[in-house]
Amino acid sequence: QISDLLQKMTLTDENKAAAEQWLKWDKDPVTCAEIKALAAAGNNEEMNKRMGKRIAFGTAGLRARMQAGFSSMNNLIIQQTSQGLCRYLESTLSPEEARARGLVIGFDGRHNSRNFAMITAATFAARNHKVYLLNTSLVATPIVPFGVTTLGAAAGVMVTASHNPKDDNGYKVYWGNGCQIVPPHDAGISSAIMANLEPWDNVPDFKDATRMQTVSDPTQFLSDAYFNLITNALCYTKEANKSCPVPITYTAMHGVGNKWCKQAFERFGFPPYIETKEQVDPDPDFPTVKFPNPEEGKGALQLAIQTAEANGSPLILANDPDADRLAVAEKEASGSWKVFNGNEIGILLASWVWQQHVEHNPGLDRSQCAMVSTAVSSKMIRSMSQVEGFQFHETLTGFKWIGNKAQDLEHAGIRCLFGYEEAIGFMIGNLRCLDKDGVRAAVVFAELSNHLYSSGSNVSKYLESLYDKYGYHCIATKYFFCYNPQDMLNIFTRLRTGGQGGSYLKECGDFKIAHIRDQTRGLDTSESDGKSQLPEDSATQMITYTFENGCVATLRGSGTEPKLKYYVEVNGKAPRDQVKELHARMTSALVEHFLQPSVNNLQSPPNQ
């Protein structure tokens, strides 16, 4: 009957076959109606977009627009992905171990997040896997990896698209160590998905998932355990926190963070913070912001700034919608607001964590402590480690690498105190959550701020003191939108072959390059064997340049968004104006000679 219907429609043979397969498998009347409408209209262009290329499963899991089609996020894709993940866990561990250890599942407040979580739960429970479905409330993303390690689960799934636009959703997978998956698990899961595309007959309606025998809800248990752990491990000045001299303003950016941050502040002894009322409750439509991403700066924080101004609050803390990132802004003496970038927040938190750890551990062997950040983050923590005597380790971009490196260090007897990435992601302490955590980062930053304000200082002054101590680091993180993957490939191909004799470009305008690290190819010209010490990542375009003047610049394609990001850092003991001037010239040269926006169809974001 479906075949007869499609034969009457003006679709290509490929689209007819794809639509027939979709309508055979999909049980959701809404998405079935979408495909039928496109087929009836003979809309081959849209059908090609929806059906021509399947959504790829990678180390970031899945993330895409919610709509019908194999390229998008919908009920069928979630069931197929869950079937593949289930089979992969059974084959990698054993069916018995995977079922006994179980799966932790959480979800945020986006459209369809709860449905996707319930489909995942029903799929695993249909094969008698223990399922820990965090269904009592919307959860902050870090609670899922915390739940995986606390409960000893085989894996975890968080349904979230983080700070993406409202029409997107995602499916993030954690391994049994509480870290986001890394190769080869991504390829293994992807293969298992492709081998299990046909929906299993024994999976019940997802609405019945909570009534299935192997499904339980440990939300309250994990919440209590989480807050007990972070309070005992990270709260150093609880009595002083009770009399914090300045009110703190908080925004959840229409996400899940308020419930979790409010409890964290209570446990650390703080008086209630000032809520940005328009953004404090979960709202999947994100009505007050164009992009629900506090990393976007003052545009995203405008309502929080208005709230802070109205309440005489000099400090703003902001989570992204799934509360795994933290943004910070402070009112300056001039009356304007400074929004700290991820590198600035990173060094501020690193310094506070180190200061407290040293103070509370007399006789500490500093060489047995470590901090971790990514290749595109500022090198200021490396400078700090050279002064303070702890280890510094660099990883590839992404918290999957930071978390796994932290675990490797712990297994080697090295205490990993802090990890961060420039995209406002912070991991304070190895507390059974080897991922970025905006909740504990927020409350620890509040404690640092209370200490500063109580002593007559503030956050900006403290940052200046750190520059005086460890050297001034001027770094900018910027990006262009790059919507066509071929444009991205053209840029990096030219960088690799546009030099003399088809080699790498060796200069950028007037600036000569000393070393090149091409992570896509595993090359590093600064190493004696020419090989990078970081893992090769052929799936991502990423090149780092070290210039003869000491500047470090990295270009990379984002793994989750249509962005080409670029990072430029200059540091030194020269007067800061000279460092800033050199930084500006380096950044301009990089854009003009390497990125060439007009030639490569790159679009500037509105606030850049």
Side-chain angles (χ1 to χ4, degrees), residues 287-334:
T288 68
V289 287
K290 186 174 182 180
F291 299 106
N293 183 1
E295 193 181 3
E296 295 291 333
K298 290 183 181 179
L301 296 176
Q302 193 56 47
L303 280 173
I305 290 172
Q306 291 175 15
T307 300
E309 290 279 11
N311 290 274
S313 168
L315 185 71
I316 295 170
L317 303 179
N319 285 140
D320 67 339
D322 67 328
D324 65 349
R325 300 173 193 260
L326 174 71
V328 179
E330 183 179 57
K331 190 172 184 179
E332 298 180 300
S334 65

Side-chain angles (χ1 to χ4, degrees), residues 55-93:
I55 184 174
F57 185 94
T59 55
L62 303 174
R63 194 179 293 188
R65 185 182 179 89
M66 291 177 282
Q67 60 185 3
F70 294 119
S71 67
S72 307
M73 294 291 290
N74 48 65
N75 289 2
L76 177 59
I77 290 295
I78 294 299
Q79 182 168 348
Q80 293 174 328
T81 302
S82 298
Q83 290 175 176
L85 176 60
C86 183
R87 289 293 199 185
Y88 182 76
L89 289 170
E90 291 177 356
S91 64
T92 304
L93 304 175

Side-chain angles (χ1 to χ4, degrees), residues 236-251:
Y236 292 105
T237 61
K238 188 170 185 177
E239 284 303 312
N241 294 343
K242 294 177 181 179
S243 54
C244 182
V246 300
I248 296 173
T249 298
Y250 172 79
T251 177

Side-chain angles (χ1 to χ4, degrees), residues 339-353:
V339 180
F340 296 90
N341 63 46
N343 289 304
E344 291 169 334
I345 301 170
I347 191 64
L348 287 162
L349 284 170
S351 178
W352 174 255
V353 167

Side-chain angles (χ1 to χ4, degrees), residues 105-218:
I105 306 171
F107 55 93
D108 67 8
R110 286 176 176 265
H111 291 296
N112 295 315
S113 284
R114 187 174 191 273
N115 289 354
F116 292 166
M118 298 282 275
I119 292 168
T120 306
T123 303
F124 273 77
R127 285 191 59 78
N128 295 315
H129 284 248
K130 188 179 292 183
V131 175
Y132 301 104
L133 178 61
L134 308 182
N135 192 40
T136 301
S137 67
L138 306 176
V139 299
T141 288
I143 303 304
V144 170
F146 176 79
V148 169
T149 54
T150 299
L151 298 169
V157 169
M158 179 66 190
V159 180
T160 180
S162 189
H163 53 267
N164 274 39
K166 66 178 183 178
D167 293 325
D168 290 1
N169 215 326
Y171 185 102
K172 182 184 290 189
V173 177
Y174 293 90
W175 200 243
N177 61 356
C179 298
Q180 294 179 47
I181 57 169
V182 294
H185 292 311
D186 57 332
I189 295 169
S190 181
S191 296
I193 293 169
M194 297 307 295
N196 290 274
L197 292 178
E198 185 169 356
W200 296 340
D201 292 334
N202 65 333
V203 178
D205 188 303
F206 68 84
K207 297 182 183 67
D208 297 325
T210 56
R211 294 194 289 270
M212 297 179 75
Q213 187 174 358
T214 62
V215 177
S216 62
D217 181 357

Side-chain angles (χ1 to χ4, degrees), residues 457-588:
S457 185
N458 63 25
V459 178
S460 294
K461 291 178 182 177
Y462 184 55
L463 180 61
E464 290 297 319
S465 74
L466 297 179
Y467 288 144
D468 291 339
K469 187 174 184 179
Y470 304 122
Y472 181 62
H473 290 242
C474 183
I475 182 168
T477 300
K478 298 185 177 182
Y479 66 88
F480 286 101
F481 287 110
C482 183
Y483 293 104
N484 185 347
Q486 186 61 46
D487 290 331
M488 181 87 71
L489 182 60
N490 291 344
I491 291 169
F492 281 90
T493 298
R494 176 177 168 271
L495 295 176
R496 294 184 177 108
T497 63
Q500 187 174 2
S503 64
Y504 285 82
L505 292 174
K506 297 296 197 305
E507 56 188 31
C508 180
D510 296 332
F511 301 103
K512 296 188 181 301
I513 296 167
H515 303 295
I516 299 172
R517 183 173 66 190
D518 186 344
Q519 217 51 55
T520 310
R521 295 184 172 181
L523 172 145
D524 189 340
T525 63
S526 70
E527 298 291 337
S528 58
D529 61 359
K531 296 180 180 179
S532 174
Q533 294 186 5
L534 299 178
E536 180 179 329
D537 187 3
S538 60
T540 302
Q541 297 289 352
M542 178 173 167
I543 301 178
T544 297
Y545 300 94
T546 301
F547 290 85
E548 290 183 357
N549 62 11
C551 172
V552 178
T554 297
L555 310 178
R556 78 173 183 93
S558 171
T560 57
E561 300 170 289
K563 293 179 178 179
L564 196 165
K565 297 187 174 183
Y566 58 105
Y567 313 77
V568 183
E569 180 170 20
V570 177
N571 68 80
K573 296 295 184 181
R576 294 185 190 180
D577 287 347
Q578 293 182 23
V579 174
K580 290 178 180 178
E581 190 270 338
L582 175 59
H583 183 274
R585 289 195 291 120
M586 292 296 308
T587 303
S588 178

